[in-house]
Amino acid sequence: MNKFPPSMRKCLEALQKLPGIGPKSAQRILFSLLDRGPAAAGELADAFTSLAQGVVRCPSCRAYKESEEPCALCSDPSRDGKLLCVVESAADVLLIESTGEFRGLYHVLHGLLSPLKGLHPEQLGLEVLDGRLEQAAIEEVVLATPPTAEGEATASYLASHLAGKVRQITRIAYGLPVGTDFQYVDAQTLARSLSGRKAFT
Amino acid sequence: MNKFPPSMRKCLEALQKLPGIGPKSAQRILFSLLDRGPAAAGELADAFTSLAQGVVRCPSCRAYKESEEPCALCSDPSRDGKLLCVVESAADVLLIESTGEFRGLYHVLHGLLSPLKGLHPEQLGLEVLDGRLEQAAIEEVVLATPPTAEGEATASYLASHLAGKVRQITRIAYGLPVGTDFQYVDAQTLARSLSGRKAFT
């Protein structure tokens, strides 16, 4: 690393902080940028400047939005204002949107409850969520946290926090992934799949 | 991709042009940057701005250097000025430097001869190399292009181009990689290893 001129070193260090990029990938990216000429690095510099300056959290749903524009999710009149889905991260919103199965609103927690990581209820934006439940016509809150220890703990906390504030609180279903071979499913997933069984329609 | 606000889309597009980064990794990087706050994207923007503005090719060896400073390789008086190694890319210089086995100078081709890719001799900076051979006390040019069809063709071309301009032209050795199991070596490498045999010392 010390062999590099300072500008290249700075770039390698910044790249290595990104998820999935180690020293080798960072070098590969660095040299591919240099080989493509200054315009390539300039394009990235521009993109990251816009990102740093132009993208903010929506004050209502807490997903990311362009700072000068209304939130595409909150301001869409075609969405179902009676339904609100609580997710861990802004990336989860995209995943759910990609299914086409959900047309309601969102609340992004930006984390899960985790005393070890020092993440406490006040960081999950619950006062914003409470405000929306009071003002808007939301009838059902869907808890879509992951089926992990932290996800379950967060869902339980939210369920008791939201009790009485909304007509219905639901949790997304956990069970066998579509297309799975029965032999390859772990016992816990199978157990959840059995306990979560529904009437055959 | 159309679900993203423009600043995020721009960033995803720029990231996906980098080697080894596909749509999924680009999204993961984007959200990790957003979650880390505007300073994280700002740091990357700064780093890429410095890279675009501060790093240039050394006019002599054609490796990358800080634009305001002399080339660390060419200006180092402790290096052996009689020896010059020709490599395909600036990344190769680093690899050779990491061995500690070579203490001479470099010439970076920034490509290999490839009529298909439209890369012709005049793009390999040979006029710079010729100038250095005339002016400096270089006695040996080591051709360190890779053992591929293009690498071999480039080495052959360079050997005839440089004939008479320098006392000695050598090619790095190709053979069995250190630590290889004999059973797993391909026939071509073994053939090169046999034809390149040396007296046992």
PDB file of all heavy atoms in Angstrom, chain B residues 19 31 43 52 56 59 79 87 98 104 107 112 114 117 124 170 180 187 201:
ATOM      1  N   PRO B  19     -14.995  -3.204 -12.631  1.00  0.00           N
ATOM      2  CA  PRO B  19     -14.813  -4.643 -12.790  1.00  0.00           C
ATOM      3  C   PRO B  19     -15.241  -5.397 -11.538  1.00  0.00           C
ATOM      4  O   PRO B  19     -14.965  -4.972 -10.425  1.00  0.00           O
ATOM      5  CB  PRO B  19     -13.295  -4.776 -12.995  1.00  0.00           C
ATOM      6  CG  PRO B  19     -12.705  -3.533 -12.425  1.00  0.00           C
ATOM      7  CD  PRO B  19     -13.734  -2.460 -12.604  1.00  0.00           C
ATOM      8  N   PHE B  31     -26.587   1.039  -0.801  1.00  0.00           N
ATOM      9  CA  PHE B  31     -27.314   1.133   0.466  1.00  0.00           C
ATOM     10  C   PHE B  31     -26.363   1.209   1.659  1.00  0.00           C
ATOM     11  O   PHE B  31     -26.672   1.865   2.650  1.00  0.00           O
ATOM     12  CB  PHE B  31     -28.317  -0.009   0.608  1.00  0.00           C
ATOM     13  CG  PHE B  31     -29.560   0.228  -0.212  1.00  0.00           C
ATOM     14  CD1 PHE B  31     -29.846  -0.552  -1.323  1.00  0.00           C
ATOM     15  CD2 PHE B  31     -30.424   1.257   0.118  1.00  0.00           C
ATOM     16  CE1 PHE B  31     -30.976  -0.307  -2.092  1.00  0.00           C
ATOM     17  CE2 PHE B  31     -31.560   1.506  -0.639  1.00  0.00           C
ATOM     18  CZ  PHE B  31     -31.834   0.720  -1.746  1.00  0.00           C
ATOM     19  N   GLU B  43     -16.569  10.961   1.060  1.00  0.00           N
ATOM     20  CA  GLU B  43     -15.173  10.500   1.082  1.00  0.00           C
ATOM     21  C   GLU B  43     -14.804   9.861  -0.252  1.00  0.00           C
ATOM     22  O   GLU B  43     -13.734  10.111  -0.816  1.00  0.00           O
ATOM     23  CB  GLU B  43     -14.996   9.488   2.224  1.00  0.00           C
ATOM     24  CG  GLU B  43     -13.559   9.012   2.386  1.00  0.00           C
ATOM     25  CD  GLU B  43     -13.427   7.749   3.254  1.00  0.00           C
ATOM     26  OE1 GLU B  43     -14.466   7.185   3.667  1.00  0.00           O
ATOM     27  OE2 GLU B  43     -12.303   7.320   3.483  1.00  0.00           O
ATOM     28  N   ALA B  52      -8.942  11.464 -10.427  1.00  0.00           N
ATOM     29  CA  ALA B  52      -9.150  12.019 -11.767  1.00  0.00           C
ATOM     30  C   ALA B  52      -8.205  13.181 -12.031  1.00  0.00           C
ATOM     31  O   ALA B  52      -7.707  13.354 -13.145  1.00  0.00           O
ATOM     32  CB  ALA B  52     -10.599  12.468 -11.935  1.00  0.00           C
ATOM     33  N   VAL B  56      -1.417  10.883 -13.031  1.00  0.00           N
ATOM     34  CA  VAL B  56      -1.121  10.892 -14.473  1.00  0.00           C
ATOM     35  C   VAL B  56      -0.137   9.775 -14.789  1.00  0.00           C
ATOM     36  O   VAL B  56       0.457   9.189 -13.893  1.00  0.00           O
ATOM     37  CB  VAL B  56      -0.503  12.244 -14.904  1.00  0.00           C
ATOM     38  CG1 VAL B  56      -1.495  13.394 -14.732  1.00  0.00           C
ATOM     39  CG2 VAL B  56       0.773  12.528 -14.135  1.00  0.00           C
ATOM     40  N   PRO B  59       5.679  10.363 -17.915  1.00  0.00           N
ATOM     41  CA  PRO B  59       6.003  10.454 -19.338  1.00  0.00           C
ATOM     42  C   PRO B  59       7.165   9.541 -19.734  1.00  0.00           C
ATOM     43  O   PRO B  59       7.324   9.228 -20.905  1.00  0.00           O
ATOM     44  CB  PRO B  59       6.381  11.926 -19.520  1.00  0.00           C
ATOM     45  CG  PRO B  59       6.685  12.433 -18.153  1.00  0.00           C
ATOM     46  CD  PRO B  59       5.914  11.603 -17.190  1.00  0.00           C
ATOM     47  N   ARG B  79      17.832   2.511  -7.793  1.00  0.00           N
ATOM     48  CA  ARG B  79      17.431   1.463  -8.729  1.00  0.00           C
ATOM     49  C   ARG B  79      18.490   1.269  -9.807  1.00  0.00           C
ATOM     50  O   ARG B  79      19.246   2.183 -10.138  1.00  0.00           O
ATOM     51  CB  ARG B  79      16.073   1.799  -9.352  1.00  0.00           C
ATOM     52  CG  ARG B  79      14.952   1.890  -8.310  1.00  0.00           C
ATOM     53  CD  ARG B  79      13.596   1.938  -8.959  1.00  0.00           C
ATOM     54  NE  ARG B  79      13.205   0.628  -9.437  1.00  0.00           N
ATOM     55  CZ  ARG B  79      12.433  -0.220  -8.758  1.00  0.00           C
ATOM     56  NH1 ARG B  79      11.958   0.104  -7.586  1.00  0.00           N
ATOM     57  NH2 ARG B  79      12.131  -1.401  -9.258  1.00  0.00           N
ATOM     58  N   VAL B  87       6.360  -4.327 -19.240  1.00  0.00           N
ATOM     59  CA  VAL B  87       5.168  -5.031 -18.754  1.00  0.00           C
ATOM     60  C   VAL B  87       3.913  -4.533 -19.457  1.00  0.00           C
ATOM     61  O   VAL B  87       3.907  -3.448 -20.045  1.00  0.00           O
ATOM     62  CB  VAL B  87       4.986  -4.865 -17.228  1.00  0.00           C
ATOM     63  CG1 VAL B  87       6.088  -5.572 -16.458  1.00  0.00           C
ATOM     64  CG2 VAL B  87       4.904  -3.398 -16.848  1.00  0.00           C
ATOM     65  N   SER B  98       6.379  -6.343  -5.759  1.00  0.00           N
ATOM     66  CA  SER B  98       6.089  -7.083  -4.536  1.00  0.00           C
ATOM     67  C   SER B  98       6.996  -8.306  -4.385  1.00  0.00           C
ATOM     68  O   SER B  98       7.138  -8.836  -3.287  1.00  0.00           O
ATOM     69  CB  SER B  98       4.621  -7.518  -4.513  1.00  0.00           C
ATOM     70  OG  SER B  98       4.415  -8.544  -5.461  1.00  0.00           O
ATOM     71  N   GLY B 104      15.251  -2.784 -11.268  1.00  0.00           N
ATOM     72  CA  GLY B 104      15.555  -1.929 -12.409  1.00  0.00           C
ATOM     73  C   GLY B 104      14.427  -0.954 -12.705  1.00  0.00           C
ATOM     74  O   GLY B 104      13.613  -0.637 -11.838  1.00  0.00           O
ATOM     75  N   HIS B 107       8.972  -0.153 -18.302  1.00  0.00           N
ATOM     76  CA  HIS B 107       8.211   0.487 -19.366  1.00  0.00           C
ATOM     77  C   HIS B 107       6.849  -0.197 -19.406  1.00  0.00           C
ATOM     78  O   HIS B 107       6.764  -1.413 -19.579  1.00  0.00           O
ATOM     79  CB  HIS B 107       8.910   0.337 -20.725  1.00  0.00           C
ATOM     80  CG  HIS B 107       8.078   0.880 -21.855  1.00  0.00           C
ATOM     81  ND1 HIS B 107       8.027   2.211 -22.157  1.00  0.00           N
ATOM     82  CD2 HIS B 107       7.223   0.266 -22.705  1.00  0.00           C
ATOM     83  CE1 HIS B 107       7.191   2.404 -23.160  1.00  0.00           C
ATOM     84  NE2 HIS B 107       6.690   1.230 -23.514  1.00  0.00           N
ATOM     85  N   LEU B 112      -1.518  -5.001 -25.025  1.00  0.00           N
ATOM     86  CA  LEU B 112      -0.705  -5.910 -25.806  1.00  0.00           C
ATOM     87  C   LEU B 112      -1.137  -5.742 -27.241  1.00  0.00           C
ATOM     88  O   LEU B 112      -2.260  -5.305 -27.510  1.00  0.00           O
ATOM     89  CB  LEU B 112      -0.953  -7.359 -25.358  1.00  0.00           C
ATOM     90  CG  LEU B 112      -0.518  -7.706 -23.926  1.00  0.00           C
ATOM     91  CD1 LEU B 112      -0.995  -9.105 -23.566  1.00  0.00           C
ATOM     92  CD2 LEU B 112       0.993  -7.598 -23.769  1.00  0.00           C
ATOM     93  N   SER B 114      -2.852  -6.337 -30.447  1.00  0.00           N
ATOM     94  CA  SER B 114      -4.052  -7.107 -30.715  1.00  0.00           C
ATOM     95  C   SER B 114      -4.809  -6.466 -31.867  1.00  0.00           C
ATOM     96  O   SER B 114      -5.578  -5.530 -31.673  1.00  0.00           O
ATOM     97  CB  SER B 114      -4.924  -7.138 -29.451  1.00  0.00           C
ATOM     98  OG  SER B 114      -6.195  -7.617 -29.765  1.00  0.00           O
ATOM     99  N   LYS B 117      -8.552  -6.151 -31.233  1.00  0.00           N
ATOM    100  CA  LYS B 117      -8.997  -5.070 -30.345  1.00  0.00           C
ATOM    101  C   LYS B 117      -8.551  -3.716 -30.882  1.00  0.00           C
ATOM    102  O   LYS B 117      -8.761  -2.694 -30.243  1.00  0.00           O
ATOM    103  CB  LYS B 117      -8.427  -5.254 -28.941  1.00  0.00           C
ATOM    104  CG  LYS B 117      -9.029  -6.420 -28.180  1.00  0.00           C
ATOM    105  CD  LYS B 117      -8.596  -6.374 -26.715  1.00  0.00           C
ATOM    106  CE  LYS B 117      -8.743  -7.738 -26.043  1.00  0.00           C
ATOM    107  NZ  LYS B 117      -7.686  -8.007 -25.090  1.00  0.00           N
ATOM    108  N   LEU B 124       1.779   1.514 -27.865  1.00  0.00           N
ATOM    109  CA  LEU B 124       2.526   0.907 -26.761  1.00  0.00           C
ATOM    110  C   LEU B 124       3.648   1.813 -26.252  1.00  0.00           C
ATOM    111  O   LEU B 124       4.440   1.417 -25.399  1.00  0.00           O
ATOM    112  CB  LEU B 124       3.105  -0.444 -27.201  1.00  0.00           C
ATOM    113  CG  LEU B 124       2.072  -1.452 -27.757  1.00  0.00           C
ATOM    114  CD1 LEU B 124       2.762  -2.747 -28.163  1.00  0.00           C
ATOM    115  CD2 LEU B 124       0.978  -1.745 -26.729  1.00  0.00           C
ATOM    116  N   THR B 170      15.911 -10.037 -23.029  1.00  0.00           N
ATOM    117  CA  THR B 170      15.585 -11.315 -22.392  1.00  0.00           C
ATOM    118  C   THR B 170      14.071 -11.426 -22.202  1.00  0.00           C
ATOM    119  O   THR B 170      13.334 -10.458 -22.308  1.00  0.00           O
ATOM    120  CB  THR B 170      16.260 -11.445 -21.006  1.00  0.00           C
ATOM    121  OG1 THR B 170      15.909 -10.316 -20.223  1.00  0.00           O
ATOM    122  CG2 THR B 170      17.771 -11.522 -21.125  1.00  0.00           C
ATOM    123  N   THR B 180       3.579 -26.411  -7.224  1.00  0.00           N
ATOM    124  CA  THR B 180       2.567 -27.157  -7.979  1.00  0.00           C
ATOM    125  C   THR B 180       2.784 -28.652  -7.852  1.00  0.00           C
ATOM    126  O   THR B 180       3.908 -29.126  -7.877  1.00  0.00           O
ATOM    127  CB  THR B 180       2.699 -26.895  -9.499  1.00  0.00           C
ATOM    128  OG1 THR B 180       3.137 -25.594  -9.709  1.00  0.00           O
ATOM    129  CG2 THR B 180       1.406 -27.190 -10.217  1.00  0.00           C
ATOM    130  N   ALA B 187      -0.217 -29.641 -20.105  1.00  0.00           N
ATOM    131  CA  ALA B 187       0.849 -30.104 -20.997  1.00  0.00           C
ATOM    132  C   ALA B 187       1.654 -28.933 -21.573  1.00  0.00           C
ATOM    133  O   ALA B 187       2.879 -29.020 -21.696  1.00  0.00           O
ATOM    134  CB  ALA B 187       0.239 -30.933 -22.129  1.00  0.00           C
ATOM    135  N   THR B 201      22.859 -25.908 -11.314  1.00  0.00           N
ATOM    136  CA  THR B 201      24.033 -25.253 -10.708  1.00  0.00           C
ATOM    137  C   THR B 201      24.147 -25.578  -9.218  1.00  0.00           C
ATOM    138  O   THR B 201      23.147 -25.836  -8.583  1.00  0.00           O
ATOM    139  CB  THR B 201      23.925 -23.710 -10.841  1.00  0.00           C
ATOM    140  OG1 THR B 201      22.628 -23.319 -10.409  1.00  0.00           O
ATOM    141  CG2 THR B 201      24.156 -23.292 -12.265  1.00  0.00           C
TER     142      THR B 201
END
